[in-house]
Amino acid sequence: MDRDGLADFLRRRRERLQPADVGIAPGPRRRTPGLRRDDVATLAAISTDYYTRLEQARGPHPSPQVLTALARALRLGDDERDHLFHLAGQQPPRTGATRHHVRPALLHILDSLQDTPAFVITDLAETLVQNRLATVLLGDETRHKSQAYRWFLVPGARAIYPVEDHARHSRVIVSDLRATSARRSDDPDVTELVEELLAGSAEFRELWERHEVGVRRFDSKRIVHPLVGVVEVDCETLQSLDSGQTLVVLTPRPGTPARDQLSLLGVVGLQDLTSPEPSAR
């Protein structure tokens, strides 16, 4: 591990970013060029003390998970991400693991969507990053496995959708996974997920045996929120074919009160996000 090189690289990449580049309001009294250390720590979901020690060349060996989070927080390109891993004495992610690195251009689009819920998912429907309004509306979905895993194996995961919509969501999720499984038949992360679902869910097994296939490109959803009730949205997607990632944007469905509901969440709901949470390392 090149501690000095890692510290210098982190500092220089932090200083080249402006708050607006990562969706942070500039605010008063910003004496530090670029982002502050606590900005990067918050974006990477690690403690400020942990990040500070990395920049001071006295931190522990960061794990691949921490390095991936730092690469995303600092908006690193693929080559820069690999360099970060090498400085930390780790092998850069390869093959399927690269699908979890969100490219800076896609993150920039996400950051610009201040008033619209949006998030980036893999082709296994793993949520990689959400903007704040998406977190308020859906909860933090980045801490869990793919949507298929949550839907069929995690109790209570369906609660944000009306019961009468569950059957349709189940079929859509399975048919989308069918398409991904055929496209990536040799990838262990796909086969392991399918095997886990087949072993753990009778509903999934029944739907899987139907062999229905359909890639999700557009959808409409009703989302149950405890503050504003049922929010009806259309799901627009922007796909990055080379990385297997999709930017999903939830727009208010015409003829419904969704626009006003999302505006209310933008004012009231975001205030809850300012409460301190335990930091992960």
Short mmCIF file of all heavy atoms in Angstrom, two decimals, residues 172-238:
data_model
loop_
_atom_site.label_atom_id
_atom_site.label_comp_id
_atom_site.label_asym_id
_atom_site.label_seq_id
_atom_site.Cartn_x
_atom_site.Cartn_y
_atom_site.Cartn_z
N VAL A 172 -43.03 -9.01 -13.61
CA VAL A 172 -42.07 -8.12 -14.28
C VAL A 172 -40.65 -8.40 -13.79
O VAL A 172 -39.70 -8.48 -14.58
CB VAL A 172 -42.46 -6.65 -14.03
CG1 VAL A 172 -41.34 -5.72 -14.50
CG2 VAL A 172 -43.75 -6.31 -14.76
N ILE A 173 -40.49 -8.56 -12.49
CA ILE A 173 -39.16 -8.80 -11.92
C ILE A 173 -38.58 -10.10 -12.43
O ILE A 173 -37.40 -10.18 -12.83
CB ILE A 173 -39.24 -8.80 -10.38
CG1 ILE A 173 -39.53 -7.39 -9.87
CG2 ILE A 173 -37.95 -9.32 -9.77
CD1 ILE A 173 -39.88 -7.33 -8.39
N VAL A 174 -39.39 -11.17 -12.45
CA VAL A 174 -38.89 -12.47 -12.88
C VAL A 174 -38.59 -12.48 -14.37
O VAL A 174 -37.56 -13.02 -14.82
CB VAL A 174 -39.90 -13.58 -12.52
CG1 VAL A 174 -39.43 -14.93 -13.08
CG2 VAL A 174 -40.04 -13.68 -11.01
N SER A 175 -39.45 -11.88 -15.19
CA SER A 175 -39.21 -11.87 -16.63
C SER A 175 -37.96 -11.07 -16.99
O SER A 175 -37.21 -11.42 -17.91
CB SER A 175 -40.43 -11.32 -17.38
OG SER A 175 -40.68 -9.97 -17.03
N ASP A 176 -37.69 -10.00 -16.25
CA ASP A 176 -36.48 -9.21 -16.47
C ASP A 176 -35.24 -10.01 -16.07
O ASP A 176 -34.22 -10.01 -16.78
CB ASP A 176 -36.55 -7.90 -15.68
CG ASP A 176 -35.37 -7.00 -15.95
OD1 ASP A 176 -35.34 -6.38 -17.04
OD2 ASP A 176 -34.47 -6.90 -15.09
N LEU A 177 -35.33 -10.72 -14.94
CA LEU A 177 -34.21 -11.55 -14.50
C LEU A 177 -33.97 -12.69 -15.49
O LEU A 177 -32.81 -13.10 -15.71
CB LEU A 177 -34.48 -12.09 -13.10
CG LEU A 177 -33.38 -12.96 -12.47
CD1 LEU A 177 -32.04 -12.22 -12.43
CD2 LEU A 177 -33.79 -13.39 -11.07
N ARG A 178 -35.02 -13.23 -16.09
CA ARG A 178 -34.88 -14.26 -17.10
C ARG A 178 -34.00 -13.76 -18.26
O ARG A 178 -33.10 -14.46 -18.74
CB ARG A 178 -36.23 -14.68 -17.64
CG ARG A 178 -36.81 -15.94 -17.07
CD ARG A 178 -36.03 -17.17 -17.49
NE ARG A 178 -36.68 -18.40 -17.00
CZ ARG A 178 -36.15 -19.58 -17.13
NH1 ARG A 178 -34.95 -19.71 -17.70
NH2 ARG A 178 -36.75 -20.66 -16.66
N ALA A 179 -34.27 -12.55 -18.72
CA ALA A 179 -33.50 -11.99 -19.83
C ALA A 179 -32.04 -11.79 -19.45
O ALA A 179 -31.13 -12.10 -20.23
CB ALA A 179 -34.13 -10.67 -20.28
N THR A 180 -31.81 -11.29 -18.24
CA THR A 180 -30.44 -11.08 -17.77
C THR A 180 -29.71 -12.40 -17.61
O THR A 180 -28.53 -12.54 -17.97
CB THR A 180 -30.44 -10.33 -16.44
OG1 THR A 180 -31.10 -9.06 -16.60
CG2 THR A 180 -29.01 -10.08 -15.95
N SER A 181 -30.40 -13.40 -17.10
CA SER A 181 -29.79 -14.71 -16.89
C SER A 181 -29.34 -15.33 -18.21
O SER A 181 -28.27 -15.94 -18.29
CB SER A 181 -30.80 -15.64 -16.19
OG SER A 181 -30.27 -16.94 -16.04
N ALA A 182 -30.13 -15.19 -19.26
CA ALA A 182 -29.73 -15.72 -20.56
C ALA A 182 -28.56 -14.95 -21.15
O ALA A 182 -27.65 -15.54 -21.75
CB ALA A 182 -30.92 -15.69 -21.51
N ARG A 183 -28.57 -13.65 -20.96
CA ARG A 183 -27.51 -12.80 -21.51
C ARG A 183 -26.19 -13.00 -20.78
O ARG A 183 -25.11 -12.89 -21.36
CB ARG A 183 -27.97 -11.33 -21.41
CG ARG A 183 -27.06 -10.34 -22.10
CD ARG A 183 -27.69 -8.96 -22.13
NE ARG A 183 -27.94 -8.43 -20.80
CZ ARG A 183 -29.16 -8.28 -20.27
NH1 ARG A 183 -30.23 -8.63 -20.96
NH2 ARG A 183 -29.32 -7.78 -19.05
N ARG A 184 -26.25 -13.31 -19.48
CA ARG A 184 -25.04 -13.47 -18.67
C ARG A 184 -25.02 -14.86 -18.02
O ARG A 184 -24.80 -15.01 -16.83
CB ARG A 184 -24.99 -12.39 -17.59
CG ARG A 184 -24.87 -10.98 -18.14
CD ARG A 184 -25.01 -9.95 -17.03
NE ARG A 184 -24.12 -10.23 -15.92
CZ ARG A 184 -24.23 -9.68 -14.70
NH1 ARG A 184 -25.22 -8.84 -14.46
NH2 ARG A 184 -23.38 -9.98 -13.75
N SER A 185 -25.22 -15.88 -18.84
CA SER A 185 -25.40 -17.24 -18.33
C SER A 185 -24.16 -17.79 -17.62
O SER A 185 -24.28 -18.70 -16.79
CB SER A 185 -25.79 -18.18 -19.47
OG SER A 185 -24.79 -18.17 -20.49
N ASP A 186 -22.98 -17.25 -17.92
CA ASP A 186 -21.76 -17.77 -17.31
C ASP A 186 -21.30 -16.96 -16.10
O ASP A 186 -20.27 -17.28 -15.51
CB ASP A 186 -20.62 -17.79 -18.35
CG ASP A 186 -20.91 -18.75 -19.50
OD1 ASP A 186 -21.59 -19.77 -19.24
OD2 ASP A 186 -20.47 -18.48 -20.62
N ASP A 187 -22.04 -15.93 -15.73
CA ASP A 187 -21.63 -15.07 -14.62
C ASP A 187 -22.11 -15.66 -13.30
O ASP A 187 -23.32 -15.88 -13.12
CB ASP A 187 -22.18 -13.66 -14.79
CG ASP A 187 -21.47 -12.90 -15.90
OD1 ASP A 187 -20.55 -13.49 -16.50
OD2 ASP A 187 -21.83 -11.75 -16.17
N PRO A 188 -21.20 -15.88 -12.36
CA PRO A 188 -21.60 -16.53 -11.09
C PRO A 188 -22.56 -15.70 -10.26
O PRO A 188 -23.38 -16.26 -9.54
CB PRO A 188 -20.27 -16.74 -10.37
CG PRO A 188 -19.30 -15.81 -11.01
CD PRO A 188 -19.74 -15.68 -12.43
N ASP A 189 -22.48 -14.35 -10.34
CA ASP A 189 -23.40 -13.56 -9.52
C ASP A 189 -24.84 -13.74 -9.97
O ASP A 189 -25.77 -13.68 -9.16
CB ASP A 189 -23.01 -12.08 -9.55
CG ASP A 189 -22.93 -11.50 -10.95
OD1 ASP A 189 -22.74 -12.28 -11.91
OD2 ASP A 189 -23.04 -10.26 -11.09
N VAL A 190 -25.04 -14.00 -11.27
CA VAL A 190 -26.40 -14.23 -11.78
C VAL A 190 -26.89 -15.61 -11.37
O VAL A 190 -28.00 -15.77 -10.84
CB VAL A 190 -26.44 -14.08 -13.31
CG1 VAL A 190 -27.87 -14.32 -13.82
CG2 VAL A 190 -25.96 -12.70 -13.73
N THR A 191 -26.07 -16.62 -11.60
CA THR A 191 -26.50 -17.99 -11.28
C THR A 191 -26.71 -18.17 -9.78
O THR A 191 -27.65 -18.86 -9.36
CB THR A 191 -25.46 -19.00 -11.79
OG1 THR A 191 -24.17 -18.69 -11.23
CG2 THR A 191 -25.37 -18.96 -13.30
N GLU A 192 -25.87 -17.54 -8.97
CA GLU A 192 -26.04 -17.65 -7.51
C GLU A 192 -27.34 -17.02 -7.06
O GLU A 192 -28.04 -17.56 -6.19
CB GLU A 192 -24.86 -17.00 -6.80
CG GLU A 192 -23.56 -17.79 -6.92
CD GLU A 192 -22.37 -17.04 -6.36
OE1 GLU A 192 -22.60 -15.95 -5.76
OE2 GLU A 192 -21.23 -17.51 -6.52
N LEU A 193 -27.69 -15.86 -7.65
CA LEU A 193 -28.95 -15.21 -7.29
C LEU A 193 -30.14 -16.08 -7.67
O LEU A 193 -31.06 -16.28 -6.86
CB LEU A 193 -29.04 -13.85 -7.97
CG LEU A 193 -30.37 -13.10 -7.79
CD1 LEU A 193 -30.63 -12.79 -6.33
CD2 LEU A 193 -30.38 -11.82 -8.63
N VAL A 194 -30.13 -16.61 -8.88
CA VAL A 194 -31.25 -17.44 -9.33
C VAL A 194 -31.38 -18.68 -8.46
O VAL A 194 -32.49 -19.06 -8.04
CB VAL A 194 -31.07 -17.82 -10.80
CG1 VAL A 194 -32.14 -18.85 -11.23
CG2 VAL A 194 -31.16 -16.59 -11.69
N GLU A 195 -30.26 -19.32 -8.15
CA GLU A 195 -30.31 -20.52 -7.30
C GLU A 195 -30.85 -20.20 -5.91
O GLU A 195 -31.62 -20.98 -5.34
CB GLU A 195 -28.91 -21.14 -7.21
CG GLU A 195 -28.45 -21.78 -8.52
CD GLU A 195 -27.00 -22.22 -8.46
OE1 GLU A 195 -26.35 -21.98 -7.40
OE2 GLU A 195 -26.51 -22.78 -9.46
N GLU A 196 -30.45 -19.05 -5.38
CA GLU A 196 -30.93 -18.66 -4.05
C GLU A 196 -32.43 -18.40 -4.07
O GLU A 196 -33.15 -18.80 -3.14
CB GLU A 196 -30.17 -17.42 -3.59
CG GLU A 196 -30.33 -17.09 -2.12
CD GLU A 196 -29.38 -16.02 -1.66
OE1 GLU A 196 -28.73 -15.36 -2.51
OE2 GLU A 196 -29.27 -15.82 -0.43
N LEU A 197 -32.91 -17.79 -5.12
CA LEU A 197 -34.34 -17.51 -5.24
C LEU A 197 -35.14 -18.79 -5.45
O LEU A 197 -36.22 -18.96 -4.89
CB LEU A 197 -34.58 -16.53 -6.38
CG LEU A 197 -34.10 -15.09 -6.14
CD1 LEU A 197 -34.11 -14.30 -7.44
CD2 LEU A 197 -34.96 -14.41 -5.10
N LEU A 198 -34.63 -19.69 -6.28
CA LEU A 198 -35.31 -20.96 -6.51
C LEU A 198 -35.42 -21.77 -5.22
O LEU A 198 -36.44 -22.43 -4.97
CB LEU A 198 -34.57 -21.77 -7.57
CG LEU A 198 -34.68 -21.26 -9.01
CD1 LEU A 198 -33.73 -22.03 -9.92
CD2 LEU A 198 -36.12 -21.38 -9.53
N ALA A 199 -34.39 -21.71 -4.40
CA ALA A 199 -34.39 -22.47 -3.15
C ALA A 199 -35.27 -21.83 -2.08
O ALA A 199 -35.82 -22.53 -1.23
CB ALA A 199 -32.96 -22.62 -2.62
N GLY A 200 -35.43 -20.51 -2.14
CA GLY A 200 -36.09 -19.83 -1.04
C GLY A 200 -37.50 -19.35 -1.27
O GLY A 200 -38.18 -18.93 -0.33
N SER A 201 -38.00 -19.39 -2.51
CA SER A 201 -39.32 -18.83 -2.79
C SER A 201 -40.11 -19.72 -3.74
O SER A 201 -39.74 -19.89 -4.90
CB SER A 201 -39.20 -17.42 -3.39
OG SER A 201 -40.45 -16.94 -3.85
N ALA A 202 -41.23 -20.24 -3.26
CA ALA A 202 -42.11 -21.04 -4.11
C ALA A 202 -42.74 -20.17 -5.19
O ALA A 202 -42.94 -20.63 -6.33
CB ALA A 202 -43.19 -21.70 -3.25
N GLU A 203 -43.07 -18.93 -4.85
CA GLU A 203 -43.66 -18.02 -5.84
C GLU A 203 -42.67 -17.78 -6.97
O GLU A 203 -43.05 -17.80 -8.15
CB GLU A 203 -44.03 -16.69 -5.19
CG GLU A 203 -44.64 -15.70 -6.17
CD GLU A 203 -44.81 -14.31 -5.57
OE1 GLU A 203 -44.32 -14.06 -4.45
OE2 GLU A 203 -45.44 -13.45 -6.25
N PHE A 204 -41.41 -17.56 -6.63
CA PHE A 204 -40.40 -17.35 -7.67
C PHE A 204 -40.26 -18.60 -8.54
O PHE A 204 -40.18 -18.49 -9.78
CB PHE A 204 -39.05 -17.00 -7.04
CG PHE A 204 -37.95 -16.80 -8.06
CD1 PHE A 204 -37.80 -15.59 -8.70
CD2 PHE A 204 -37.10 -17.85 -8.39
CE1 PHE A 204 -36.80 -15.41 -9.66
CE2 PHE A 204 -36.10 -17.69 -9.34
CZ PHE A 204 -35.95 -16.46 -9.97
N ARG A 205 -40.23 -19.77 -7.94
CA ARG A 205 -40.09 -21.01 -8.72
C ARG A 205 -41.23 -21.15 -9.72
O ARG A 205 -41.01 -21.51 -10.89
CB ARG A 205 -40.07 -22.22 -7.78
CG ARG A 205 -38.78 -22.37 -6.99
CD ARG A 205 -38.67 -23.76 -6.38
NE ARG A 205 -39.76 -24.06 -5.46
CZ ARG A 205 -39.73 -23.75 -4.15
NH1 ARG A 205 -38.68 -23.12 -3.64
NH2 ARG A 205 -40.76 -24.07 -3.37
N GLU A 206 -42.44 -20.85 -9.28
CA GLU A 206 -43.60 -20.99 -10.18
C GLU A 206 -43.49 -20.02 -11.36
O GLU A 206 -43.76 -20.39 -12.51
CB GLU A 206 -44.88 -20.75 -9.39
CG GLU A 206 -46.16 -21.12 -10.13
CD GLU A 206 -46.68 -20.01 -11.01
OE1 GLU A 206 -46.49 -18.84 -10.62
OE2 GLU A 206 -47.25 -20.30 -12.07
N LEU A 207 -43.10 -18.79 -11.09
CA LEU A 207 -42.98 -17.80 -12.15
C LEU A 207 -41.79 -18.10 -13.06
O LEU A 207 -41.85 -17.89 -14.28
CB LEU A 207 -42.84 -16.40 -11.55
CG LEU A 207 -44.09 -15.85 -10.85
CD1 LEU A 207 -43.76 -14.56 -10.10
CD2 LEU A 207 -45.21 -15.61 -11.84
N TRP A 208 -40.70 -18.57 -12.49
CA TRP A 208 -39.50 -18.89 -13.26
C TRP A 208 -39.79 -20.00 -14.28
O TRP A 208 -39.30 -19.97 -15.41
CB TRP A 208 -38.38 -19.31 -12.32
CG TRP A 208 -37.04 -19.48 -12.97
CD1 TRP A 208 -36.43 -20.66 -13.29
CD2 TRP A 208 -36.14 -18.44 -13.38
NE1 TRP A 208 -35.20 -20.43 -13.85
CE2 TRP A 208 -34.99 -19.07 -13.93
CE3 TRP A 208 -36.18 -17.05 -13.32
CZ2 TRP A 208 -33.90 -18.35 -14.41
CZ3 TRP A 208 -35.10 -16.33 -13.82
CH2 TRP A 208 -33.98 -16.97 -14.35
N GLU A 209 -40.62 -20.95 -13.87
CA GLU A 209 -40.94 -22.08 -14.75
C GLU A 209 -41.80 -21.65 -15.95
O GLU A 209 -41.84 -22.36 -16.96
CB GLU A 209 -41.66 -23.17 -13.95
CG GLU A 209 -40.74 -23.90 -12.97
CD GLU A 209 -41.49 -24.83 -12.04
OE1 GLU A 209 -42.73 -24.90 -12.16
OE2 GLU A 209 -40.84 -25.48 -11.19
N ARG A 210 -42.44 -20.50 -15.85
CA ARG A 210 -43.23 -20.01 -16.99
C ARG A 210 -42.34 -19.56 -18.14
O ARG A 210 -42.80 -19.46 -19.29
CB ARG A 210 -44.12 -18.84 -16.56
CG ARG A 210 -45.17 -19.19 -15.53
CD ARG A 210 -46.05 -17.97 -15.27
NE ARG A 210 -46.97 -18.16 -14.16
CZ ARG A 210 -47.85 -17.25 -13.74
NH1 ARG A 210 -47.95 -16.08 -14.40
NH2 ARG A 210 -48.62 -17.49 -12.72
N HIS A 211 -41.09 -19.22 -17.84
CA HIS A 211 -40.11 -18.78 -18.84
C HIS A 211 -40.60 -17.55 -19.63
O HIS A 211 -40.40 -17.43 -20.85
CB HIS A 211 -39.78 -19.91 -19.82
CG HIS A 211 -38.37 -19.83 -20.33
ND1 HIS A 211 -37.50 -20.88 -20.32
CD2 HIS A 211 -37.67 -18.79 -20.85
CE1 HIS A 211 -36.34 -20.53 -20.81
NE2 HIS A 211 -36.41 -19.26 -21.15
N GLU A 212 -41.21 -16.62 -18.93
CA GLU A 212 -41.58 -15.34 -19.54
C GLU A 212 -40.37 -14.43 -19.54
O GLU A 212 -39.61 -14.38 -18.56
CB GLU A 212 -42.74 -14.70 -18.78
CG GLU A 212 -44.03 -15.50 -18.85
CD GLU A 212 -45.16 -14.87 -18.05
OE1 GLU A 212 -44.87 -14.02 -17.18
OE2 GLU A 212 -46.32 -15.23 -18.29
N VAL A 213 -40.18 -13.69 -20.64
CA VAL A 213 -39.01 -12.83 -20.78
C VAL A 213 -39.46 -11.43 -21.17
O VAL A 213 -40.31 -11.25 -22.04
CB VAL A 213 -38.05 -13.37 -21.87
CG1 VAL A 213 -36.85 -12.45 -22.02
CG2 VAL A 213 -37.60 -14.78 -21.53
N GLY A 214 -38.87 -10.45 -20.51
CA GLY A 214 -39.18 -9.06 -20.84
C GLY A 214 -38.24 -8.11 -20.14
O GLY A 214 -38.19 -8.09 -18.91
N VAL A 215 -37.47 -7.34 -20.91
CA VAL A 215 -36.56 -6.36 -20.33
C VAL A 215 -37.33 -5.10 -19.98
O VAL A 215 -38.09 -4.57 -20.79
CB VAL A 215 -35.42 -6.02 -21.31
CG1 VAL A 215 -34.49 -4.96 -20.71
CG2 VAL A 215 -34.64 -7.28 -21.66
N ARG A 216 -37.13 -4.61 -18.76
CA ARG A 216 -37.85 -3.40 -18.32
C ARG A 216 -37.24 -2.16 -18.96
O ARG A 216 -36.08 -1.84 -18.74
CB ARG A 216 -37.79 -3.29 -16.80
CG ARG A 216 -38.75 -4.19 -16.09
CD ARG A 216 -38.67 -4.03 -14.59
NE ARG A 216 -37.47 -4.63 -14.04
CZ ARG A 216 -37.20 -4.71 -12.74
NH1 ARG A 216 -38.04 -4.21 -11.87
NH2 ARG A 216 -36.09 -5.29 -12.33
N ARG A 217 -38.05 -1.47 -19.76
CA ARG A 217 -37.59 -0.20 -20.36
C ARG A 217 -38.49 0.95 -19.93
O ARG A 217 -38.04 2.08 -19.86
CB ARG A 217 -37.58 -0.33 -21.88
CG ARG A 217 -36.56 -1.34 -22.39
CD ARG A 217 -36.50 -1.36 -23.90
NE ARG A 217 -35.47 -2.26 -24.39
CZ ARG A 217 -35.65 -3.55 -24.62
NH1 ARG A 217 -36.84 -4.09 -24.39
NH2 ARG A 217 -34.67 -4.31 -25.06
N PHE A 218 -39.75 0.66 -19.70
CA PHE A 218 -40.69 1.69 -19.24
C PHE A 218 -41.70 1.00 -18.34
O PHE A 218 -42.09 -0.14 -18.57
CB PHE A 218 -41.40 2.36 -20.41
CG PHE A 218 -42.46 3.34 -19.98
CD1 PHE A 218 -42.13 4.64 -19.64
CD2 PHE A 218 -43.79 2.95 -19.89
CE1 PHE A 218 -43.10 5.53 -19.21
CE2 PHE A 218 -44.77 3.83 -19.48
CZ PHE A 218 -44.42 5.13 -19.14
N ASP A 219 -42.12 1.71 -17.30
CA ASP A 219 -43.09 1.13 -16.38
C ASP A 219 -43.81 2.27 -15.67
O ASP A 219 -43.36 3.42 -15.66
CB ASP A 219 -42.37 0.23 -15.36
CG ASP A 219 -43.33 -0.72 -14.64
OD1 ASP A 219 -44.52 -0.74 -14.99
OD2 ASP A 219 -42.88 -1.42 -13.72
N SER A 220 -44.93 1.95 -15.08
CA SER A 220 -45.65 2.87 -14.20
C SER A 220 -45.80 2.18 -12.86
O SER A 220 -46.04 0.97 -12.79
CB SER A 220 -47.02 3.23 -14.78
OG SER A 220 -46.89 3.95 -15.98
N LYS A 221 -45.68 2.95 -11.79
CA LYS A 221 -45.76 2.37 -10.45
C LYS A 221 -46.60 3.23 -9.54
O LYS A 221 -46.70 4.44 -9.72
CB LYS A 221 -44.36 2.22 -9.84
CG LYS A 221 -43.48 1.21 -10.52
CD LYS A 221 -42.14 1.08 -9.80
CE LYS A 221 -41.27 0.02 -10.44
NZ LYS A 221 -39.97 -0.13 -9.73
N ARG A 222 -47.18 2.57 -8.55
CA ARG A 222 -47.83 3.25 -7.44
C ARG A 222 -47.01 2.94 -6.19
O ARG A 222 -46.80 1.76 -5.86
CB ARG A 222 -49.27 2.80 -7.28
CG ARG A 222 -50.14 3.10 -8.50
CD ARG A 222 -51.62 2.87 -8.18
NE ARG A 222 -51.87 1.49 -7.78
CZ ARG A 222 -52.96 1.10 -7.14
NH1 ARG A 222 -53.88 1.99 -6.78
NH2 ARG A 222 -53.14 -0.18 -6.83
N ILE A 223 -46.57 3.98 -5.52
CA ILE A 223 -45.70 3.82 -4.36
C ILE A 223 -46.41 4.37 -3.13
O ILE A 223 -46.90 5.50 -3.15
CB ILE A 223 -44.36 4.55 -4.58
CG1 ILE A 223 -43.64 3.95 -5.80
CG2 ILE A 223 -43.47 4.45 -3.34
CD1 ILE A 223 -42.50 4.80 -6.31
N VAL A 224 -46.46 3.57 -2.08
CA VAL A 224 -47.14 3.96 -0.85
C VAL A 224 -46.13 4.64 0.08
O VAL A 224 -45.14 4.01 0.49
CB VAL A 224 -47.77 2.75 -0.15
CG1 VAL A 224 -48.49 3.19 1.13
CG2 VAL A 224 -48.72 2.02 -1.09
N HIS A 225 -46.39 5.90 0.40
CA HIS A 225 -45.51 6.63 1.32
C HIS A 225 -46.30 7.03 2.55
O HIS A 225 -47.43 7.54 2.44
CB HIS A 225 -44.92 7.87 0.65
CG HIS A 225 -43.81 8.50 1.42
ND1 HIS A 225 -44.03 9.36 2.48
CD2 HIS A 225 -42.47 8.37 1.31
CE1 HIS A 225 -42.88 9.73 2.98
NE2 HIS A 225 -41.90 9.16 2.29
N PRO A 226 -45.75 6.84 3.75
CA PRO A 226 -46.52 7.12 4.97
C PRO A 226 -46.89 8.58 5.15
O PRO A 226 -47.85 8.89 5.86
CB PRO A 226 -45.57 6.66 6.09
CG PRO A 226 -44.21 6.66 5.48
CD PRO A 226 -44.41 6.29 4.05
N LEU A 227 -46.18 9.48 4.50
CA LEU A 227 -46.46 10.91 4.67
C LEU A 227 -47.49 11.44 3.67
O LEU A 227 -48.38 12.20 4.03
CB LEU A 227 -45.16 11.71 4.56
CG LEU A 227 -45.29 13.23 4.70
CD1 LEU A 227 -45.79 13.60 6.10
CD2 LEU A 227 -43.95 13.91 4.42
N VAL A 228 -47.38 11.03 2.41
CA VAL A 228 -48.21 11.64 1.36
C VAL A 228 -49.17 10.65 0.71
O VAL A 228 -49.93 11.02 -0.18
CB VAL A 228 -47.32 12.28 0.27
CG1 VAL A 228 -46.50 13.41 0.85
CG2 VAL A 228 -46.44 11.24 -0.41
N GLY A 229 -49.16 9.38 1.13
CA GLY A 229 -50.07 8.40 0.56
C GLY A 229 -49.52 7.74 -0.69
O GLY A 229 -48.31 7.62 -0.87
N VAL A 230 -50.41 7.35 -1.59
CA VAL A 230 -50.02 6.64 -2.81
C VAL A 230 -49.56 7.64 -3.87
O VAL A 230 -50.30 8.54 -4.26
CB VAL A 230 -51.17 5.79 -3.36
CG1 VAL A 230 -50.76 5.10 -4.66
CG2 VAL A 230 -51.60 4.75 -2.33
N VAL A 231 -48.32 7.47 -4.32
CA VAL A 231 -47.73 8.35 -5.34
C VAL A 231 -47.64 7.56 -6.65
O VAL A 231 -47.02 6.50 -6.70
CB VAL A 231 -46.33 8.82 -4.92
CG1 VAL A 231 -45.79 9.81 -5.95
CG2 VAL A 231 -46.36 9.44 -3.53
N GLU A 232 -48.26 8.08 -7.70
CA GLU A 232 -48.24 7.41 -9.00
C GLU A 232 -47.19 8.05 -9.88
O GLU A 232 -47.21 9.26 -10.13
CB GLU A 232 -49.62 7.50 -9.67
CG GLU A 232 -50.72 6.81 -8.87
CD GLU A 232 -52.05 6.80 -9.61
OE1 GLU A 232 -52.05 6.39 -10.79
OE2 GLU A 232 -53.06 7.20 -9.03
N VAL A 233 -46.25 7.23 -10.37
CA VAL A 233 -45.14 7.74 -11.17
C VAL A 233 -44.94 6.89 -12.41
O VAL A 233 -45.30 5.71 -12.45
CB VAL A 233 -43.82 7.76 -10.35
CG1 VAL A 233 -43.92 8.73 -9.19
CG2 VAL A 233 -43.47 6.36 -9.86
N ASP A 234 -44.37 7.51 -13.43
CA ASP A 234 -43.88 6.80 -14.60
C ASP A 234 -42.37 6.63 -14.46
O ASP A 234 -41.68 7.52 -13.95
CB ASP A 234 -44.19 7.57 -15.89
CG ASP A 234 -45.68 7.59 -16.22
OD1 ASP A 234 -46.35 6.60 -15.88
OD2 ASP A 234 -46.15 8.59 -16.80
N CYS A 235 -41.87 5.49 -14.91
CA CYS A 235 -40.44 5.18 -14.79
C CYS A 235 -39.78 5.29 -16.15
O CYS A 235 -39.95 4.42 -17.01
CB CYS A 235 -40.24 3.78 -14.22
SG CYS A 235 -41.13 3.46 -12.69
N GLU A 236 -39.04 6.36 -16.36
CA GLU A 236 -38.28 6.54 -17.59
C GLU A 236 -36.86 6.03 -17.35
O GLU A 236 -36.31 6.17 -16.26
CB GLU A 236 -38.23 8.02 -17.99
CG GLU A 236 -39.59 8.63 -18.31
CD GLU A 236 -40.15 8.14 -19.63
OE1 GLU A 236 -39.41 7.45 -20.37
OE2 GLU A 236 -41.32 8.43 -19.94
N THR A 237 -36.25 5.42 -18.38
CA THR A 237 -34.93 4.83 -18.20
C THR A 237 -33.94 5.33 -19.24
O THR A 237 -34.31 5.63 -20.39
CB THR A 237 -34.99 3.29 -18.29
OG1 THR A 237 -35.47 2.90 -19.59
CG2 THR A 237 -35.91 2.72 -17.22
N LEU A 238 -32.68 5.42 -18.82
CA LEU A 238 -31.57 5.73 -19.71
C LEU A 238 -30.53 4.64 -19.48
O LEU A 238 -29.96 4.54 -18.40
CB LEU A 238 -30.98 7.11 -19.40
CG LEU A 238 -29.70 7.49 -20.15
CD1 LEU A 238 -29.97 7.58 -21.64
CD2 LEU A 238 -29.14 8.81 -19.62
#
